[in-house]
Amino acid sequence: MKQEKALSILKSGKNVFLTGSAGAGKTYVLNQYINYLRARKVSVAITASTGIAATHMNGQTIHSWAGIGIKDSLSSTDLKKLSDKQYLNKKLSTVEVLIIDEISMLHQRQLEMVNRVLQHFKSNYEPFGGIQVILSGDFFQLPPVSRTEETNREKFAFMAPCWVQANLTVCYLTEQFRQSENDLNYILNEIRSGHVSNNSLSLLYEAKHTVLNDRAPTRLFSHNIDVDQVNEEFLASLEGDPFVFEAVTKGNMKMADMLTKSVLAPEILTLKLGAKVMFVKNNYEAGFMNGTIGKVIDFEEEDVEGESKIVPVVKTTEGNIIHVYPEKWSIDNEKGTSLVSLTQLPLRLGWAITVHKSQGMTLDAAEIDLGKTFERGQGYVALSRLKDMDGLKLTDFNDIALEVDPLALKADLRFQQLSIEADQNNRVEDLEDQYSKFILRAGGTINKAAIKLNEAKLDRKSKAKAPKEKKISTQEQTKILIEQGLDLDAIAAARGLTKGTIAGHLGKIKTEFPDTDIEQFRPDAGLMKKLIKAHEKLSKEQKEYYFSETGEIKIKPLFDYFKGKISYDDIKLGVSFLV
């Protein structure tokens, strides 16, 4: 399903399960819908299953929002106590739309509790108290953490009775925006299908030798102990005095532990000159976002809110110089008043991070060790953080790393089928008839003047947070070296990439930079003749999966056609010259 159709279904007021592979644009669709609701003054709650995911959505955890905390069950007495909390009462009784992101990491038991809480506060025993509920996520991501030995069947949210009762319309997004049509996308799709081909395995083994040079890769591990060891060793190897920054926590100390666990910034952060760091919060105005990598280049004494404090100065991989000041994370009540807050520099050591904590991030480059993978889905999460194979150095992986949960696989196939049916059965024209009815039912406005005014306010806020600078693409970096007269081998060596990867760049360079001469790389006439013949034959078969949405032939069907007699690299090179 395309994003536009999914958004139309959301606007019609239906309960929705929004899913799709990593990079399919789930968060984009949610943000579009959130802005739509806010412009029409509809009360929407933005939550996620974990604090990390909530940070990405600028929301809060569903546990905090619904008042369930770390409970495993809710009694009638518990519900009565929740009713006595004024801030919960006002928030839960007035909400009209609930969004829960990263639903794969929410235990079915917790989803049932959210359902009960809403039914109680809304005095309505329809699913989730009769409000619109939107569950978003991908069950090939990591499952909920469990204190006991439970199977995923006992944990997955889609096994909860309220999931079925809510009559969710499945919107399975099929477009890919993080990984374009490339080898990494093929590998991720094969992992999702439960069958990884020998060719994909070869590409993963080949990624062990990737040289990332100055791309400042973050190292990903499956275990905290490996992350801590790498970060501590690198920090200890730096000369100079350490600077220690301690978090300050204020407010309801009973809630402090929950907040501390949900924030990626450590309670005690030790830095030195030259330390590699990762930003762990979004602040577009300051020039960083969650996952931005940089290096500490200085420490300066500055006046911070009337006090003289040491401030680290970080140079990002994009070349931006940022003076890093403390940021605040908080759990607020319905009035926006902080119940508990944690103030700390929005940084953590960035040489290494766990796969679990990387979930939701987009990384330009990563050195990944999946040799100790212990949970199905970890490998998929780690690999899907990247945009393409250019940025991947895979030092090791075991069998589990390329596996997905069998139940998740079975459910995903069913979700795909349900999404196809929903796409066919929901015409945009029919959905549009429901837009205004739902907004009015949810207590919003359909006054066009009021909506335009609200949209203008939201637009101003959005522009203020826009990223400052677009990073040069990997294809454009290759283009620059071509224009300097380098051959494929020299370009591959200079970029620290394989010759096949550079060959794959040529097609995009030919399209986006037609003035760049790439004729010197054209394969011999014999190979081109074979490719043209294969292209014509595959085109006559009219199988959609042979071609990208822009009509370009994919590499894999050609590789299969030649039965391995022509290498992937040679096919990539030749495809760039197919008309």
Side-chain angles (χ1 to χ4, degrees), residues 246-258:
E246 294 189 30
V248 176
T249 306
K250 295 180 180 179
N252 186 334
M253 290 300 107
K254 291 182 179 178
M255 304 174 74
D257 187 52
M258 184 194 310

Side-chain angles (χ1 to χ4, degrees), residues 474-480 482 502 504-518:
T474 185
Q475 290 84 6
E476 194 167 355
Q477 292 177 54
T478 296
K479 164 190 168 288
I480 291 169
I482 289 173
I502 299 300
H505 291 173
L506 296 179
K508 188 162 278 191
I509 291 171
K510 183 180 179 183
T511 303
E512 295 184 1
F513 308 101
D515 292 334
T516 300
D517 183 12
I518 63 170

Side-chain angles (χ1 to χ4, degrees), residues 279-295:
F279 286 88
V280 292
K281 197 174 187 188
N282 294 326
N283 187 331
Y284 298 105
E285 292 177 349
F288 61 83
M289 59 186 295
N290 189 26
T292 295
I293 299 293
K295 183 171 73 172

